[in-house]
Amino acid sequence: TTLPLQAREYKQVSILACTIANAAELAARLDPEDMDATMRSFLKRAHAILSRYGGTESERLGDGFTALFGAPQAFEDHARRAALAAMELTGLRGEPSDEALEVKAGLHTGRIVVGNLDDSGQLYTAAGATMKEAHRIRDAADAPILVSAELFALIETDFEGRPVDSDGTPDGLVAISRLAAHRGGVPQRAVRRRSRFIGRDEDLGIIARRIALAAEGNGQVVCVGGEPGIGKSRLVAEARALP
């Protein structure tokens, strides 16, 4: 799924910046053919993991890549998807060499401009603070998976994390390593914190006006439609919370 040519829009996304921290060490130890096969295998398996969680590669480097969750297809749980993908990525080993891969991932969430770069359909992402922060977190590399405080606030009911406080590491980062244990009978969706609700002021206003008319005794019907992931359930939830 891609946006129409020249289309540009703000999206609330989670960004996963991933790298193989020991790539230089592997390149010095392996012959070029084995190193090439190892990197190709890693990127192929990484692409499969991203696809399974709805992630989209926005850039690729020699020893890693950056991926978006929440664009171009919107997901209410984009932060959780990014964290689950990161957990799988950091568990990969080198194939066919069976070398240990030191996969590091940095995760951040925020608004970003997305659109198509040209008619090739390649996703374009404008350079900005959100992307730079994800790269900064990745480069801190104090743990296999580091996430910003903003992103951890969205996944803290689902993942165990510990604050990272060491020399040379940016403040406010959290290392996550596994899913959190939940007590039986407690729906996760009921306790999960939502991301900021943006870009639907006009739609919410229409619903609010219909609710006001209904309260005055004038029957109203509102139909909410759209493709999967566009935010229909979230819009209804926000409408129910209106005063």
Side-chain angles (χ1 to χ4, degrees):
T1 302
T2 57
L3 297 171
L5 183 62
Q6 304 300 326
R8 298 290 184 269
E9 62 178 340
Y10 276 107
K11 287 279 191 177
Q12 185 77 16
V13 303
S14 290
I15 300 172
L16 188 161
C18 180
T19 188
I20 299 178
N22 63 336
E25 177 187 336
L26 292 175
R29 189 165 63 248
L30 299 175
D31 62 51
E33 291 80 7
D34 287 344
M35 184 61 186
D36 180 66
T38 296
M39 290 304 302
R40 285 178 177 273
S41 174
F42 168 76
L43 292 173
K44 180 179 180 180
R45 288 176 290 156
H47 180 75
I49 290 171
L50 295 177
S51 297
R52 187 157 61 249
Y53 290 105
T56 302
E57 283 188 48
S58 63
E59 61 183 14
R60 178 178 289 186
L61 305 175
D63 58 356
F65 56 86
T66 303
L68 306 179
F69 294 80
Q73 184 176 359
F75 295 109
E76 177 67 22
D77 60 343
H78 51 80
R80 187 174 189 271
R81 289 169 178 264
L84 289 171
M87 292 184 68
E88 289 199 32
L89 288 166
T90 55
L92 293 177
R93 289 189 62 83
E95 292 182 359
S97 63
D98 199 38
E99 291 280 352
L101 301 180
E102 294 180 16
V103 182
K104 305 288 186 180
L107 280 69
H108 185 47
T109 189
R111 296 181 73 193
I112 196 167
V113 176
V114 295
N116 287 339
L117 182 61
D118 52 35
D119 56 7
S120 68
Q122 180 180 356
L123 185 69
Y124 168 78
T125 59
T130 305
M131 291 285 286
K132 289 181 179 179
E133 183 67 8
H135 294 159
R136 184 180 75 103
I137 295 170
R138 174 201 61 195
D139 295 340
D142 187 73
I145 307 174
L146 287 180
V147 307
S148 65
E150 293 87 348
L151 189 137
F152 188 68
L154 301 176
I155 63 171
E156 60 185 343
T157 59
D158 292 329
F159 293 86
E160 293 185 1
R162 60 172 179 82
V164 175
D165 183 16
S166 61
D167 294 339
T169 302
D171 295 334
L173 300 185
V174 178
I176 62 172
S177 57
R178 60 182 179 180
L179 288 166
H182 287 279
R183 296 175 58 184
V186 179
Q188 293 188 21
R189 185 171 296 181
V191 296
R192 186 177 301 149
R193 187 177 302 183
R194 293 184 175 130
S195 57
R196 192 162 60 94
F197 188 62
I198 60 173
R200 294 291 184 269
D201 292 343
E202 182 177 352
D203 300 331
L204 201 58
I206 292 173
I207 296 175
R209 290 192 291 273
R210 295 300 181 270
I211 292 175
L213 289 171
E216 294 173 358
N218 302 306
Q220 302 291 313
V221 175
V222 177
C223 178
V224 179
E227 53 189 57
I230 202 171
K232 300 184 296 295
S233 298
R234 177 65 185 274
L235 178 62
V236 172
E238 294 292 333
R240 294 182 64 183
L242 289 172

